[in-house]
Amino acid sequence: MATDRSFNPLEMAQRQFDTVADDLQLDDGARQLLRTPMREYHFNIPVRMDDGRVEVLRGFRVQHNDARGPCKGGVRFHPQETADTVRALAMWMTWKCAVADIPLGGGKGGVICDPHNLSSREQEQVCRGWVRQVARDVGPNRDVPAPDVMTNGQHMLWMLDEYETIHGERLPGMITGKPVGMGGSQGRTQATGYGVVYTLREALKELGIRPQDTTASVQGFGNVAQYAIELYRQIGGTTLCVSCWDQRDQTSYAFRKADGIDLEELRSITDRFGGIEREKARDLGYEVLDGDQWLDQDVDILIPSALENQINASNVERISPKVKIIAEGANGPTTPDADTVLKERGVFMIPDFLANAGGVTCSYFEQVQSNMNYFWDAGEVLGKLDQQMTAAYLAVSELAQHGGLYMRDAAYVLAIKRVVTACRDRGWI
Ligand code: GLU
């Protein structure tokens, strides 16, 4: 799960965009506008550490495009964060909101830090410091942050509190992923993982496969992975293998059980950094393997739900011929080279910005509820989420079938067309 520093996600995002731009015969103006972010902020965040020292962290917010609505996207805390990663992720958010057909644009933020090495007070300082730098540039009608890799509801609440203190009023629609009871939405925690499975369920239906007859291997054991495993179990599927990043060893391990892993059991032996404890897992009858072996499993479905660049030219050939579907829970887990191989092999791809759009779709519902100050119950939120995700899946799959397109290409065509139309209608291009 470590990030490869030679891999540049922005080049990957631009390569994907250029291919579709060629197919759509987009003119130069549209290409120039959309292949780079419209606006970005880079800044220092001075943080007073618990021992009295000041540490200066580097922070970012990138606003890729807001033609369809205010920018939207998470803030990541990651020691290997780079400006280009944030740019790529912001661009993917534009396509994600467009494919999910919600009235929002694309943005992303980040801070180069490892929250595992920061106390709770220090993390609060990072959140407040980040907001102080962008307080005039984000907001309910401008750009709406949310949780992402290694950030959570508590971080969002600190950010909101700082923002509201600066602006002198309550503005709960400024951020999403807030804790329930503090402006958060029921279902937001489950939304991304559940959304992956709503699209997977539709794909299985389309391919005429019963979920009960399928097995899966999942990369990651964070929020997305855990809720994907939960709902996949509920629809009848069996997860045979899951991989997990171990913070102490700075390496990942895979955990396999022949008759299926037990989510609750594994959750109960997870340490405070989110890593599964290996000895305890062995005692419970799990085989502990090298982390990247999640990819080699003889399963029907792969669900990469960790970071970008995980299925690449160097490991794609290891994927079993049994694998029929890949549902990308993470953003950018498959590089274009690997994607070409999978396309040729006829693997059914549910691309990231479709598969994992459940998070931002629920964020949109959260914003609506925050602005109305009226909150829906979990059943209503998840029902609406299922409806929106299913509609998005069907729109992409219909285009794929009619145009004879690979699912990723169809999703790109749909999203880019929608964004280009909004830019044209506004008279920008
Ligand atoms: N970070 C999530 C994503 O990559 C959610 C973003 C949001 O809710 O705004 O889609």
Side-chain angles (χ1 to χ4, degrees):
M1 242 196 273
T3 45
D4 169 4
R5 306 222 61 170
S6 62
F7 162 76
N8 186 320
L10 181 62
E11 281 168 21
M12 167 171 158
Q14 290 179 329
R15 224 168 111 184
Q16 290 169 335
F17 170 76
D18 290 341
T19 310
V20 181
D22 288 345
D23 291 346
L24 291 176
Q25 298 179 324
L26 284 191
D27 53 49
D28 276 354
R31 281 171 199 255
Q32 275 178 37
L33 185 67
L34 293 172
R35 79 191 297 285
T36 51
M38 79 188 170
R39 202 178 296 122
E40 52 184 72
Y41 306 91
H42 297 208
F43 40 86
N44 286 341
I45 307 173
V47 178
R48 174 81 55 195
M49 306 301 278
D50 291 346
D51 63 7
R53 276 177 315 114
V54 170
E55 214 169 274
V56 179
L57 304 179
R58 198 73 186 144
F60 310 96
R61 184 69 186 175
V62 174
Q63 298 170 343
H64 173 259
N65 185 278
D66 63 359
R68 287 175 47 89
C71 294
K72 187 83 191 79
V75 184
R76 315 198 321 163
F77 288 173
H78 199 279
Q80 267 106 42
E81 195 64 286
T82 65
D84 274 353
T85 310
V86 184
R87 290 181 182 115
L89 289 160
M91 194 189 292
W92 285 325
M93 285 308 301
T94 302
W95 314 139
K96 192 182 302 193
C97 293
V99 93
D101 208 8
I102 52 177
L104 295 165
K108 204 76 164 196
V111 179
I112 306 176
C113 72
D114 188 344
H116 297 113
N117 302 330
L118 300 172
S119 71
S120 172
R121 194 202 63 84
E122 289 166 343
Q123 292 181 39
E124 179 177 345
Q125 296 314 306
V126 177
C127 292
R128 292 185 184 278
W130 187 86
V131 167
R132 284 199 289 273
Q133 298 304 321
V134 292
R136 274 151 225 85
D137 312 301
V138 300
N141 300 319
R142 283 195 180 155
D143 180 6
V144 184
D148 205 286
V149 172
M150 289 203 264
T151 55
N152 58 35
Q154 175 65 75
H155 296 122
M156 299 304 111
L157 193 54
W158 285 324
M159 288 181 176
L160 175 65
D161 187 68
E162 190 66 26
Y163 184 82
E164 292 183 332
T165 304
I166 292 169
H167 290 277
E169 56 182 325
R170 292 280 172 255
L171 294 157
M174 167 264 169
I175 204 160
T176 61
K178 303 180 288 293
V180 171
M182 290 302 293
S185 174
Q186 297 284 351
R188 177 64 185 83
T189 316
Q190 299 93 313
T192 313
Y194 277 22
V196 172
V197 177
Y198 295 143
T199 61
L200 175 60
R201 179 196 63 203
E202 293 306 309
L204 288 168
K205 226 184 267 175
E206 186 178 326
L207 298 174
I209 304 170
R210 295 182 338 145
Q212 304 87 290
D213 300 334
T214 65
T215 53
S217 178
V218 178
Q219 185 193 31
F221 199 59
N223 188 48
V224 181
Q226 290 193 24
Y227 287 104
I229 293 170
E230 183 175 287
L231 191 62
Y232 175 59
R233 172 80 248 156
Q234 281 173 29
I235 67 167
T238 306
T239 301
L240 293 184
C241 182
V242 63
S243 85
C244 186
W245 178 249
D246 188 308
Q247 175 62 21
R248 293 167 216 265
D249 296 18
Q250 291 289 302
T251 176
S252 63
Y253 297 93
F255 299 83
R256 183 170 67 185
K257 217 178 208 180
D259 56 352
I261 62 133
D262 181 329
L263 180 63
E264 284 315 317
E265 191 173 75
L266 288 179
R267 270 182 181 149
S268 74
I269 55 165
T270 298
D271 66 24
R272 68 186 183 89
F273 297 131
I276 298 168
E277 297 191 44
R278 295 196 295 289
E279 273 321 303
K280 290 187 184 161
R282 280 194 193 97
D283 292 345
L284 290 166
Y286 288 85
E287 260 179 282
V288 180
L289 313 165
D290 281 346
D292 71 342
Q293 287 186 45
W294 73 278
L295 191 74
D296 307 329
Q297 303 303 313
D298 267 326
V299 289
D300 307 289
I301 301 159
L302 293 179
I303 309 181
S305 304
L307 290 175
E308 54 278 357
N309 184 32
Q310 299 301 303
I311 303 177
N312 50 48
S314 72
N315 63 19
V316 65
E317 300 296 347
R318 285 177 23 213
I319 293 178
S320 158
K322 188 173 175 338
V323 170
K324 298 177 196 68
I325 301 178
I326 298 182
E328 295 184 320
N331 291 313
T334 310
T335 63
D337 292 346
D339 205 38
T340 307
V341 175
L342 295 168
K343 195 176 185 170
E344 278 162 12
R345 269 171 61 169
V347 172
F348 192 94
M349 175 65 70
I350 314 177
D352 50 2
F353 65 94
L354 170 63
N356 71 32
V360 74
T361 302
C362 194
S363 275
Y364 165 59
F365 296 153
E366 178 177 333
Q367 248 207 321
V368 171
Q369 294 170 82
S370 283
N371 293 340
M372 289 192 300
N373 207 10
Y374 175 74
F375 290 84
W376 311 331
D377 63 29
E380 185 164 0
V381 175
L382 293 174
K384 284 185 160 63
L385 183 66
D386 192 347
Q387 227 177 358
Q388 193 91 16
M389 291 298 292
T390 302
Y393 175 89
L394 293 176
V396 174
S397 104
E398 203 171 294
L399 184 62
Q401 283 174 31
H402 281 142
L405 295 173
Y406 185 53
M407 282 287 280
R408 191 188 309 281
D409 299 339
Y412 262 111
V413 167
L414 192 70
I416 291 174
K417 268 190 176 167
R418 285 182 179 160
V419 176
V420 167
T421 302
C423 295
R424 282 216 180 104
D425 289 350
R426 284 178 180 277
W428 292 354
I429 49 175

